Amino acid sequence: MGMFERDTEIYLDRDALREDYQPENLVGRDTELNRYRAALQPVINGEQPNNIFLYGKTGVGKTAGTRYLIDHLEEDAAKYEDIDLTVKMLNCDGLSSSYQIATRLVNEFRDETSQISTTGYPRATVYDMLWTELDSCGGTIYIVLDEVDHIEDDSILYQLPRARANDNLSSAKIGIIGISNDFSFRDDLSPKVKSSLCEEEIQFPAYDAKELIQILQQRADVAFHDGVLEDGVIELCAAYGAKDAGDARQSLDLLMKTGDLARDKDTDTISEDLVREARDVLERGRIQEGISGLTQHGHLVVYAMVTLDQEGKTPARTRDIRPRYTNFAEKAGIDPLVPRRMRDHLGELSMLGIISAIERNEGRRGGTYREYSLEMDPEMILAALEKTVDDVGIHKSVTNLVDSEATLSDFQST
DNA sequence: ATTCCACAGGAATGAACGGAAC
DNA sequence: GTTCCGTTCATTCCTGTGGAAT
């Protein structure tokens, strides 16, 4: 018997569950895609392309729809001699400034031997490089900026559409497609950017439970062998995504993770219990990812929250978290952060979904303040902390972790 | 209607750091 | 090496805010 054997029991085509899988038709997005297609039409007519702005929650088909239409657009554009279409897609996740977008875009147009560094250049130099690349590419260029709301300044969104008018470009026609999870991003744009970027706006509504089930069913039919999925599995995965505002991606990820578990365990079918197990694994991964991106001080704040939670002292307001945090910081031999900064960390943890905040107001007697609670399983958070923070484990168990010197050894500054 | 509590969070600023260019 | 540049994490100072108390 070989060391490796091909697994065939569960999957027929696992890739059908991947985010980038392209199904033959997209469920429940007909009206949106029709409008989208109409907005792209000028490309084929050889006209100046529209700038398009898509918004809607995560996992509602914005990116999938874009890929679907862009593929067809490229295919159809190729049929016309006089149309030279180039499309560059860039996910802005992890990028925070126009500068970073610009450097990535330059690299998109350059080959591997002449890539530029993403830091070090003056801003204007990077823009100049970008105009040069765009112009030498020529034709119609669509730039798709996915998760564009991650950019904190809109300079690139202002510069790109105007590059032609500003004589930075002579031959290329530029169109921008901005994709955002966050509708308020649109309102925060400066008026001049808003009017140019939002020429065409298309809103993608969340999937309802029925549509989610349909999507999962469609993919599962391709992905799994017949009869592998037990009753209720699809529905359970759909419910998971529906809880987070109709997010198909989450549902599909869950289904795939469940399938992977089944494959690893060599089971013949996929049960609801396995889905719950997979949900646990994914949750752990999410926490891990969030925790590992935090500062030392962020870790201390999480740790303070976990201990407070264990003592039943949550929800806790900033005033109550503060002394716990400073205590830990001192024990770890680190200068505690100023309150303002600690609040920033609490806010960051809320964004990550590790803790949650509710605003309270007791008027003249109490003023406004926030109460924070743990949103994730404390054991999972501690496991993530343990993995992330160097050296030995922070704790052996959740019990008795307060006031224990040993538990804080890892936070010792280097 | 006005006052006022206890914060939230914006803005300005700076130190530390890594990369580019000279 | 030095200088210039952008980013991140932090501090300092400040204005904003919603509703109970007056």
Side-chain angles (χ1 to χ4, degrees):
Chain A
M1 194 160 76
M3 192 180 288
F4 294 99
E5 286 178 80
R6 179 170 292 177
D7 309 295
T8 48
E9 305 81 13
I10 297 290
Y11 285 124
L12 196 59
D13 180 6
R14 180 174 177 274
D15 288 346
L17 298 177
R18 288 171 54 94
E19 202 199 327
D20 55 6
Y21 174 78
Q22 187 125 175
E24 60 291 349
N25 65 315
L26 297 170
V27 173
R29 299 284 95 142
D30 293 344
T31 53
E32 290 77 20
L33 291 184
N34 276 335
R35 285 195 51 205
Y36 201 170
R37 190 167 44 74
L40 291 169
Q41 181 63 33
V43 172
I44 298 297
N45 300 342
E47 298 157 1
Q48 180 73 31
N50 282 316
N51 294 323
I52 305 171
F53 189 70
L54 308 181
Y55 51 90
K57 296 267 170 56
T58 51
V60 293
K62 302 186 298 297
T63 310
T66 299
R67 259 199 287 264
Y68 176 83
L69 285 180
I70 291 294
D71 280 359
H72 283 89
L73 184 68
E74 283 181 319
E75 203 175 292
D76 292 344
K79 294 178 194 157
Y80 298 90
E81 283 286 317
D82 55 334
I83 307 279
D84 176 18
L85 175 67
T86 308
V87 181
K88 296 289 182 192
M89 283 190 82
L90 183 65
N91 191 310
C92 305
D93 187 23
L95 310 178
S96 60
S97 66
S98 290
Y99 180 92
Q100 292 175 335
I101 304 295
T103 58
R104 311 296 145 122
L105 281 176
V106 169
N107 283 339
E108 279 286 317
F109 284 96
R110 294 195 173 185
D111 61 34
E112 269 145 45
T113 58
S114 53
Q115 298 273 300
I116 61 167
S117 156
T118 56
T119 52
Y121 302 103
R123 212 186 306 265
T125 310
V126 176
Y127 278 129
D128 282 343
M129 290 187 219
L130 183 54
W131 308 142
T132 309
E133 292 303 327
L134 289 171
D135 221 17
S136 70
C137 175
T140 302
I141 305 173
Y142 250 125
I143 293 174
V144 183
L145 298 175
D146 202 352
E147 305 193 51
V148 68
D149 46 316
H150 286 75
I151 324 179
E152 276 154 19
D153 67 290
D154 49 18
S155 124
I156 188 94
L157 300 177
Y158 179 65
Q159 299 284 348
L160 267 177
R162 298 176 53 89
R164 197 177 160 88
N166 289 350
D167 265 358
N168 294 315
L169 298 178
S170 52
S171 63
K173 295 179 210 164
I174 311 283
I176 300 178
I177 299 174
I179 304 179
S180 170
N181 305 322
D182 180 8
F183 186 47
S184 67
F185 173 76
R186 194 199 88 108
D187 300 323
D188 295 338
L189 291 171
S190 63
K192 48 191 180 182
V193 173
K194 200 191 295 184
S195 65
S196 69
L197 180 63
C198 307
E199 285 174 339
E200 296 283 340
E201 296 178 86
I202 303 165
Q203 183 170 10
F204 281 62
Y207 291 117
D208 59 31
K210 233 176 99 186
E211 287 167 328
L212 279 176
I213 289 172
Q214 234 178 308
I215 292 168
L216 288 171
Q217 194 66 62
Q218 175 195 46
R219 304 290 194 91
D221 285 347
V222 184
F224 297 107
H225 285 287
D226 284 347
V228 165
L229 294 185
E230 290 177 14
D231 285 349
V233 166
I234 296 267
E235 286 76 6
L236 194 56
C237 290
Y240 183 63
K243 153 177 83 68
D244 256 351
D247 189 340
R249 188 184 315 160
Q250 251 185 35
S251 294
L252 285 165
D253 282 350
L254 179 58
L255 188 56
M256 181 156 80
K257 180 53 83 179
T258 311
D260 289 354
L261 286 178
R263 185 169 64 178
D264 292 347
K265 295 184 174 198
D266 233 19
T267 62
D268 298 333
T269 62
I270 294 178
S271 66
E272 287 192 34
D273 281 344
L274 212 50
V275 176
R276 294 192 188 91
E277 199 180 320
R279 191 182 51 193
D280 215 57
V281 173
L282 288 180
E283 196 95 306
R284 284 193 130 78
R286 275 189 50 214
I287 298 176
Q288 183 67 57
E289 205 181 316
I291 298 272
S292 64
L294 296 173
T295 342
Q296 200 176 26
H297 289 290
H299 294 144
L300 286 169
V301 174
V302 176
Y303 197 58
M305 278 302 294
V306 172
T307 57
L308 286 168
D309 182 75
Q310 286 305 300
E311 293 166 27
K313 291 178 182 166
T314 51
R317 53 196 294 181
T318 358
R319 155 202 288 179
D320 303 321
I321 301 168
R322 174 78 190 159
R324 178 66 55 99
Y325 156 76
T326 46
N327 183 15
F328 284 159
E330 277 158 19
K331 277 185 180 161
I334 307 165
D335 288 340
L337 293 177
V338 98
R340 172 72 184 89
R341 185 64 188 140
M342 194 195 78
R343 263 184 281 146
D344 277 346
H345 278 115
L346 286 170
E348 201 179 328
L349 292 171
S350 306
M351 294 287 285
L352 291 169
I354 293 173
I355 63 178
S356 67
I358 49 162
E359 198 167 273
R360 300 190 133 282
N361 194 330
E362 286 174 46
R364 197 174 183 174
R365 186 158 49 88
T368 43
Y369 56 92
R370 257 134 204 253
E371 278 186 335
Y372 294 93
S373 319
L374 268 200
E375 275 299 291
M376 301 286 183
D377 183 286
E379 295 281 1
M380 285 192 191
I381 295 177
L382 287 174
L385 272 174
E386 195 167 15
K387 257 195 182 174
T388 305
V389 178
D390 323 317
D391 289 328
V392 225
I394 315 172
H395 52 83
K396 290 295 161 236
S397 130
V398 206
T399 52
N400 296 331
L401 31 68
V402 197
D403 292 333
S404 153
E405 302 278 343
T407 61
L408 283 162
S409 61
D410 306 336
F411 287 110
Q412 233 83 60
S413 50
T414 45

